[in-house]
Amino acid sequence: MGTGLLGVLMERQGRAATTSASSTRDPASDEPDGRRQEPLRRRSNSASAPAVGDSALTEEVRRDRPGSYSGTTSVSRQRVETLRKKRPLFPWFGLDIGGTLVKLVYFEPKDITAEEEEEEVESLKSIRKYLTSNVAYGSTGIRDVHLELKDLTLCGRKGNLHFIRFPTHDMPAFIQMGRDKNFSSLHTVFCATGGGAYKFEQDFLTIGDLQLCKLDELDCLIKGILYIDSVGFNGRSQCYYFENPADSENCQKLPFYLKNPYPLLLVNIGSGVSILAVYSKDNYKRVTGTSLGGGTFFGLCCLLTGCTTFEEALEMASRGDSTKVDKLVRDIYGGDYERFGLPGWAVASSFGNMMSKEKREAASKEDLARATLITITNNIGSIARMCALNEGYFGAVGALLELLKIP
Amino acid sequence: MAECGARGSGSSGDSLDKSITLPPDEIFRNLENAKRFAIDIGGSLTKLAYYSTVQHKVARVRSFDLSGQDVAEQDRESPYEISVQEEVTARLHFVKFENTYIEACLDFIKDHLVNTETKVIPATGGGNIPHEAFAYQKDADPEFRFQTNHPHIFPYLLVNIGSGVSIVKVETEDRFEWVGGSSIGGGTFWGLGALLTKTKKFDELLHLASRGQHANVDMLVQDIYGGAHQTLGLSGNLIASSFGKSATADQEFSQEDMAKSLLHMISNDIGQLACLYAKLHGLDRVYFGGFFIRGHPVTMRTITYSINFFSKGEVQALFLRHEGYLGAIGAFLKGAEQDNPNQYSWGENYAGSSGLRSASPELCPTQRARSGTFDLLEMDRLERPLVNLPLLLDPSSYVPDTVDLTDDAQAREHWLTCFEEALDGVVKRAVASQPGSVDAAERAEKFRHKYWDKLQTLRHQPFAYGTLTVRSLLDTREHCLNEFNFPDPYSKVKQKENGAALRCFQRVVGALDALGWEERQLALVTGLLAGNVFDWGAKAVADVLESDPHFGFTEAKRKLEERPWLVDCYDRWLRRLKGPPHKCALIFADNSGVDVILGVFPFVRALLSRGTEVILACNSGPALNDVTYSESLIVAEHIAAMDPVVHAALREERLLLMQTGASSPCLDLSRLDEGLASLVRERGTDLVVIEGMGRAVHTNYEAALRCECLKLAVIKNAWLAERLGGRLFSVIFKYEVPAEVPAE
């Protein structure tokens, strides 16, 4: 659902959703405690998802009802409350367990005093060393070195923020590693969000002897984005957009500064897509979502091309030609369809050429990957645009409208 | 542009692709008479529209020239002569088929098309009013619920799902605007489906999908949350990520499951966009059309589900029986410059149109082979424009039919069986009506086959031709009879009966006049009812009449149920008659012969004597033994010759004979001849009399009018009588007075 490939997809694909955030760059407002529970959790969406029928979709779902936080978590919450008064013990982790990927954020303190280092237990050192000296973990874990945020001040400590990811299906191995490295002896709090925080809670407890502090993924998402934007990206802006996206020669990635970001529409593209309308830093609602997301792109690419990794799928897509796969307006009308103001190059039917045997045979795997990417991104853009119009954010999705003009 | 999905693929479907499974002359009917021809070759389907003239036989009645003939000649059995003439009417044909067949079809078309102006029409448009629309409800009985054709349909959103998706906002019949679209449409389902599975044909992909389990391929909420979704109040079955589970190299997925996942993905996406557009434009009705829908219950279901889900029930998903033709009909009618389309009304020819498809294609393979490949719609141009009866209380909520047989399975079974059993008799009657014809028997057999097939289709798919009603069954039979040149199988029977009844007229009227006032009123009503027992359309009576042709009027009266009748408002009617006379009565007559001559005319005569003007409305064209307008003219002429009251009334235009515009044993008060409607208005009609089972029971039983109304019928069907709580020959005498007569 809302969790997932956001950062990865954005960076590699080079296409931005509107991830704008607070422009308040006042350092005094920094240092939010990432674990603090906001007392106010406003969700104006109300509909529960229908339970009938075997067809199902991601849609507005209520998750802040009483009972969401069960007995075991209220214990964790108390711990959070007490920890707030005192700085938490290292290591500092944040975990987002999505449908496809697990995202792990690790804060590496760089201001450790000699005294501290002496007191540090061996397992803590070993974890720090393991995480910071490697860029890959096992066969599937990857540290996105290019995303690393350096010289950050967090909760009074200076250090670097590391971004690590691995596939969700390797979660059992991760928990096993936690057990092997004796995480539980560190008395750290594992704050986790995403659906997996629920799905794997019991495994963490029974196998790793670790108590998860489960947090709502949309709350975390908004908080994380606002924070990341406020600290900037190693001196650069976190939020950017593409100028002239339709023109490969003049396409430029430009920083986007928002003086007053609200209201904004947040399109979170994970395995699926969640679309949130954010009115202020603690007031938002989930407007809608779609099941056609990163997981669909990757899943279809696997089936169509036999690729095995997300990177591979994106790489293939970058080399393909989707016009061999898609039926364009000009394929039907011979040129522009002026009556509806549709240019000839617009896609009339995604995968429409694949109805024909000859054209199926002429399309390469790269072409299919490209068409899949275009199909999914155009669709997300289209839905986001409609949501923005319906929410009345005519201006806020200007960047997204540009996205729709992919050649 | 032609795409041959399976060419050379070695699949078993090859032979199907290469040849048209039906004789092309059954598909491109009447092509050689095409006056205008349009072809729209879309991304995957080809649509043809042509306007042709159809020559068919009609029965005409004409009075004998009585001058210079002696009285003895006038006493002969026939009051008039019948001739069969050729008549030419206009018909619109719409055919659509997959592009795979285009070469074979174009060859055929080229060979048969002569002297025709051909043009390519853009078929994506808002077009005409969508006629029969229906909503889909899963697991409901019936699954298809038809909306009645009410005029307040604007504005609405039209979502046409062809290769891609076009979203059109339709504000009026000719004001519409393309507001958006999506590239994820039928072509995506087909194209991706062909890549993911071994199935290369659209219909087969849908069939494949109907057998799959999408949860094996899609990542559901419960896959991400584990069992926690319940405590979190999430529906675990929601799709979090379409194809999310297929993102793995080491697993094989079944073709059925992938097709199902694909179908859900596309239907949901279209439904979501449609809702977003509907919301943006403030519309609560969305009509879906295009080949992706084309009567496929599986896509209708997923789209409906998606719309309900995304709009939380605020937007209704509607489908059109002739959805694929909307654009073509609109464009074609608009293109018919020399004939202003607004001048005419069109009626569907059930004999030539193919039906909706079944949810289970295995049920009826032959039917499927036909309509699955070629979809046909024919519309006949009616001679005169049809309008609402101005006296309807609420035209927008008027539904002519009393029982929706798509809704009522028990009634459906009964009536289908009833029509099946009556078929032999109809065939016999048809052959007997054309004694001089060499091929009558052959044509009658063709008729039998065609109608039998339609009945069988309806047994499996009650929704196949839209709302299924007794009226549609009757009308379809008439259309099929016409199709095989049996324009009026009852013409001779009617002629004979009219002659016999006319000879009794004076005796009956004399007897009535001899009665006291109060006695006479009851006798007039029972006469009207007894006349109605004579009805060749009802099997029970047909049996009696076949075996005993001298079954008389008096006999009929004796057969009638004793008062109190099953529905008996007679006392109120009698009280009303003691009051001031009505200004003008509109009477819808039923059968020829005894019914109209000995039942209706004496009643008309009594009304005239009270000072009430009378409009007598009869069918424009033949249907069963119903009296037609032209027959009524001759009958009236004969009666006028015998009766001074009728004579004077005709001369002074206090008695007016009009045609209804219909050729049906039933009555649709929302489609009446324009001339009749304006006369009803002009004369200030304040009483409507509807007579007969077809007009007052199968239809209009519940119809609410703005004026007083009599609904009279004898129930000549044991099953129906029992259902209504009565028995065979039970009497319906319904006298309705509107609660408050609203000012016009």
Side-chain angles (χ1 to χ4, degrees), chain A residues 5 31 40 51 62 100 116 176 200 250 261 302 319 336 380:
Chain A
L5 312 160
E31 295 199 10
L40 192 63
R62 186 207 292 253
T100 311
E116 260 183 319
Q176 189 58 46
F200 297 104
N250 295 313
C302 287
R319 286 185 284 126
D336 296 352
I380 294 170

Side-chain angles (χ1 to χ4, degrees), chain A residues 50 54 56 199 217 291 350 379, chain B residues 183 214 223 225 237 242 269 309:
Chain A
D54 61 7
K199 186 177 178 181
E217 63 181 273
S291 68
S350 296
N379 190 58
Chain B
S183 67
H214 75 100
D223 296 321
Y225 277 82
N237 286 326
S242 293
D269 192 56
F309 181 78

